[in-house]
Amino acid sequence: MKVNFNYAVLLCFLIFHDDSSGQNNSIYGTLGLSCKIIDAANVPIDSCGITIYDDADKNVVSKMYSSTRGRSKCMLDLDKEYTVEVQKKGYAAKNIKIYTQIVIQEYLNEDYFANLDIVLLKSIKEEKQEKSPKYAGIIIWDEEIKEFNYDEEKYLVFQEEQSRLRQEAM
C-alpha cells in the first residue's frame, strides 16, 4: 500500500496539534433547524410560541411563532447546547434538547440541516409548567452517519411515549 508521505504528515499534525496558544478557534458551521408542529391527528398547529435558549448562559437565542402550516426555521451555531421550548394555549408544552457539539473538529465549519416534527397534545388540565421540564426529544451528532440525528435510544422511548399519549388523546 502506497501512502502519500506529505498527506500522512499533515494528517498526524492535524490529529496531534495542540493549540495551547490561548487563541479561540473560530467555529463557523451552523445547524439549520426546520420544525413542523402538528397535533395528534397530524394537523399543523399555527401560532405556536417557539423559544430557543442557549443552555450555557440561559439567554434566548431565537423567539418565533409557527406559520399557518405549523412550520418554523432557524439557524443554530455548532458546538453548543440548546433547549427548544414549544407552547400554545390549550396544548401541553414541549421541550427538546439540541446538542450541536461534534467530536471531530474538521466537521465544525460545515453547515447541516435537521428536520424536527413536534407533536403537541391537547392539555387535559391547565397546569403550571415545572421549573425543570422533561425533554421530549434529543438531537445529537451521529458519528456513524456524520450528521445530526435523534439520539436513537432516547428517540425510541420518546416515540413509544408519543404513541401512548396519542392513543389517550383520541
Side-chain angles (χ1 to χ4, degrees), residues 31 111-114 140-149:
L31 172 63
D111 293 324
Y112 299 92
F113 299 92
I140 195 166
W141 178 254
D142 188 332
E143 190 58 35
E144 289 180 23
I145 63 171
K146 306 290 188 250
E147 272 294 339
F148 286 94
N149 203 354

Side-chain angles (χ1 to χ4, degrees), residues 14-36:
L14 291 174
I15 292 172
F16 296 108
H17 177 65
D18 176 22
D19 185 10
S20 55
S21 62
Q23 295 179 342
N24 183 9
N25 292 333
S26 296
I27 297 169
Y28 299 105
T30 58
L31 172 63
L33 184 64
S34 177
C35 299
K36 180 180 177 187

Side-chain angles (χ1 to χ4, degrees), residues 13-139:
F13 174 77
L14 291 174
I15 292 172
F16 296 108
H17 177 65
D18 176 22
D19 185 10
S20 55
S21 62
Q23 295 179 342
N24 183 9
N25 292 333
S26 296
I27 297 169
Y28 299 105
T30 58
L31 172 63
L33 184 64
S34 177
C35 299
K36 180 180 177 187
I37 294 102
I38 54 178
D39 66 12
N42 206 24
V43 175
I45 305 173
D46 67 347
S47 304
C48 291
I50 303 164
T51 307
I52 302 175
Y53 299 93
D54 183 333
D55 287 352
D57 56 17
K58 307 297 184 217
N59 285 332
V60 174
V61 173
S62 182
K63 190 169 181 98
M64 62 197 121
Y65 291 91
S66 60
S67 71
T68 56
R69 296 182 309 166
R71 297 191 178 273
S72 69
K73 293 182 180 181
C74 68
M75 299 297 285
L76 303 175
D77 292 331
L78 295 183
D79 208 32
K80 294 187 176 212
E81 294 181 18
Y82 299 95
T83 297
V84 178
E85 180 182 272
V86 182
Q87 51 188 319
K88 182 170 180 159
K89 188 170 179 71
Y91 291 87
K94 201 165 264 190
N95 292 291
I96 294 120
K97 284 293 269 184
I98 299 179
Y99 298 94
T100 63
Q101 291 93 342
I102 301 175
V103 177
I104 301 174
Q105 294 292 315
E106 70 183 88
Y107 294 111
L108 286 174
N109 290 321
E110 300 291 330
D111 293 324
Y112 299 92
F113 299 92
N115 293 313
L116 179 61
D117 288 352
I118 302 169
V119 179
L120 291 185
L121 301 173
K122 293 274 185 183
S123 180
I124 297 170
K125 296 186 224 175
E126 292 291 328
E127 296 180 21
K128 290 186 177 181
Q129 296 297 315
E130 300 174 20
K131 289 193 176 191
S132 57
K134 294 182 180 178
Y135 294 104
I138 295 177
I139 293 179

